[in-house]
Amino acid sequence: MKARGALSAAVASAGILLAGWQAGTQVAGVSTTNNGSTTAAGTSGAGTSGGGASASGSAGSSGSSDSSGSSGSAGSSGTSGSSGGASTAGTFKGSVVQTRFGAVQVQITVSAGKISEVTALQLTDDDRKSIQISNRAAPLLRTEVLSAQSAAVKTVSGATVTSNAYLSSLQAAIDAANL
Amino acid sequence: MPRTSENPAPPTESAPLRAATFHCMGTVVSLTMPAVPGPGGHPAEDELAAAAAVVECVFLELDRTFSLYREDSEASSLARGELSLRDASPGMRERYSDALEWRLRTHGAFTPERPDGVLDLSGLIKAYAIQESGTSLLALGRTDWCLNAGGDVLVSGSPVPGGTGPWDAGIMDPLDRGAVQAGYPLGGRLRHSALATSGSAERGDHIWRQRGEAPAFVQVSVAAADITTADVLATAIVAGGIPMLDRATDGWDIAVLAVRPDGALLGTPDFRR
């Protein structure tokens, strides 16, 4: 039972991590990002071993990972061995969580009661391309930067242009062409 | 969309773009729209002039209240200590509240107070004026336009009436003002409609670097869904350096292109060609 609790807590915390990571993208009060699906992580256990389907599902609050057992697993169908302990093994999928990068689903592999592997099953954007999770800025060569044909540019962004600086700016040239 | 029914021409670069400009807030504001007759059959020139007049009204009114360059503005009264925030107008208090919220969100990298303690909301007011102008244009049924106020850009729709193509924006090279350093498409069906650029060299009066360290960036451009987010974060990243850059890209759905003092570039994946 202890291993089962640790397992669901781990899956749940992975889900919370993902949701938190998404919620963090909206600093404002919008951080209500589907708590439901967060806490539901850990359903549909594709586990193999064990017999007694111990549905220890309390529609868990979004607790932290140390509130073992009850956190997460909103009435899941996990198939952990009822005797718990070292017999817990198999692969378990989290529920699909929608992030701003598209759908994300995590699978963990458990052997001997320990997580041996965490795999991202679904990491695609709407166009079904695999995606880069990090939006961090990285060094770019000038030749790698999204370029613009000066002739096609409709407007120019620059550090605050004063009225005087405007006179000699590209924006002024573009405006003059359109006046 | 009845206006295309009588025009069988494919929506290519058919309608030329027309621009109107005016001076306000110490800079030049440009409104660009495709030249198409209005819904009531008004000539395209009148459509543009009417739209530009609305934008100018929005800017002027905000400038009258918030400019520190006007002796008789409410902001100047506050700066002189003749007026307290408690007694300030609701608009002033709302913008001040916005500014404090942004200061929290940016861990202090963006701040509405000058080092001398004077409240200076000018960093926010221009973005707010752009945003309010955009709202007014949309309310008037203008869906295709590009608004540029001193290098901060907000677009709606497409440069081709009824089209879905984006507005191609360029980013000025900070080391060569006559050149475009990078491009970024805005509007159309894309998720970013706003692009703002802040620099540590120009008009440094509204960006106060922390602890007097050498600037990490000479110029930072941020694309976002709205102009206030783009503008505030560009300012905050110039002030807060790499840590703020990473917080911003982790915390907001934005694209960033930052220029180091030696001209080297840092960019989020959206800026990679």
Side-chain angles (χ1 to χ4, degrees):
Chain A
M1 202 54 224
K2 202 173 177 187
R4 155 85 187 142
L7 171 64
S8 64
V11 179
S13 57
I16 288 164
L17 233 157
L18 281 168
W21 160 58
Q22 183 193 18
T25 65
Q26 322 271 351
V27 168
V30 204
S31 58
T32 55
T33 22
N34 45 26
N35 254 339
S37 69
T38 305
T39 51
T43 55
S44 76
T48 49
S49 78
S54 65
S56 71
S58 60
S61 61
S62 61
S64 56
S65 55
D66 59 351
S67 65
S68 65
S70 67
S71 86
S73 73
S76 75
S77 61
T79 57
S80 66
S82 55
S83 60
S87 67
T88 304
T91 55
F92 299 82
K93 291 175 191 167
S95 59
V96 177
V97 177
Q98 289 297 330
T99 74
R100 68 186 171 94
F101 300 106
V104 176
Q105 186 180 25
V106 173
Q107 171 182 282
I108 62 170
T109 303
V110 178
S111 54
K114 288 183 177 159
I115 298 174
S116 59
E117 198 182 350
V118 179
T119 324
L121 292 181
Q122 217 169 338
L123 274 177
T124 53
D125 64 10
D126 294 339
D127 299 329
R128 317 307 298 168
K129 291 178 301 204
S130 65
I131 52 155
Q132 177 175 1
I133 294 179
S134 171
N135 189 38
R136 289 239 165 154
L140 286 178
L141 296 175
R142 288 191 175 244
T143 50
E144 293 175 323
V145 174
L146 201 61
S147 62
Q149 302 290 330
S150 328
V153 163
K154 305 284 192 294
T155 190
V156 177
S157 181
T160 307
V161 179
T162 61
S163 292
N164 287 336
Y166 169 81
L167 295 175
S168 60
S169 72
L170 282 171
Q171 183 64 38
I174 291 169
D175 288 338
N178 290 331
L179 284 176
Chain B
M1 287 286 148
R3 72 181 168 203
T4 53
S5 60
E6 293 171 13
N7 183 6
T12 50
E13 292 286 335
S14 50
L17 293 176
R18 287 283 174 261
T21 62
F22 63 89
H23 288 257
C24 196
M25 298 186 182
T27 187
V28 174
V29 181
S30 316
L31 175 67
T32 307
M33 295 167 61
V36 287
H42 301 293
E45 299 78 48
D46 292 357
E47 283 293 304
L48 175 64
V54 167
V55 173
E56 188 166 6
C57 256
V58 171
F59 271 78
L60 265 181
E61 198 182 335
L62 286 167
D63 194 52
R64 274 193 205 106
T65 304
F66 290 95
S67 174
L68 287 169
Y69 296 94
R70 289 173 186 260
E71 288 287 306
D72 57 347
S73 72
E74 189 181 352
S76 291
S77 298
L78 274 168
R80 289 191 298 263
E82 299 163 7
L83 183 69
S84 72
L85 267 171
R86 187 187 298 270
D87 303 316
S89 66
M92 177 66 73
R93 289 154 58 124
E94 277 169 30
R95 299 291 78 72
Y96 182 62
S97 161
D98 289 351
L100 291 188
E101 195 173 318
W102 278 111
R103 178 160 73 188
L104 274 176
R105 291 174 173 190
T106 60
H107 299 213
F110 177 90
T111 173
E113 268 134 28
R114 295 199 313 221
D116 62 4
V118 168
L119 179 64
D120 184 356
L121 296 171
S122 59
L124 266 185
I125 290 305
K126 191 171 68 168
Y128 184 68
I130 296 171
Q131 178 191 314
E132 290 292 292
S133 299
T135 306
S136 297
L137 290 174
L138 290 174
L140 292 169
R142 271 41 167 233
T143 53
D144 300 311
W145 43 262
C146 170
L147 191 54
N148 185 324
D152 292 341
V153 182
L154 177 68
V155 309
S156 171
S158 165
V160 178
T164 55
W167 293 84
D168 288 315
I171 292 174
M172 189 191 290
D173 187 336
L175 309 177
D176 176 5
R177 299 183 52 93
V180 165
Q181 176 170 61
Y184 196 80
L186 298 171
R189 289 178 173 165
L190 303 169
R191 70 189 201 281
H192 291 153
S193 297
L195 177 63
T197 298
S198 276
S200 59
E202 293 171 81
R203 268 212 164 182
D205 57 350
H206 77 277
I207 298 177
W208 305 291
R209 282 187 300 283
Q210 293 161 345
R211 308 272 170 258
E213 292 160 12
F217 305 117
V218 291
Q219 179 171 293
V220 174
S221 300
V222 174
D226 72 281
I227 186 62
T228 303
T229 301
D231 199 23
V232 168
L233 292 181
T235 305
I237 293 169
V238 169
I242 298 267
M244 185 61 225
L245 171 63
D246 287 343
R247 277 202 300 276
T249 54
D250 286 350
W252 280 271
D253 180 11
I254 55 173
V256 182
L257 183 70
V259 189
R260 307 281 254 161
D262 63 0
L265 300 176
L266 287 179
T268 52
D270 282 330
F271 266 106
R272 193 179 284 276
R273 71 160 90 209

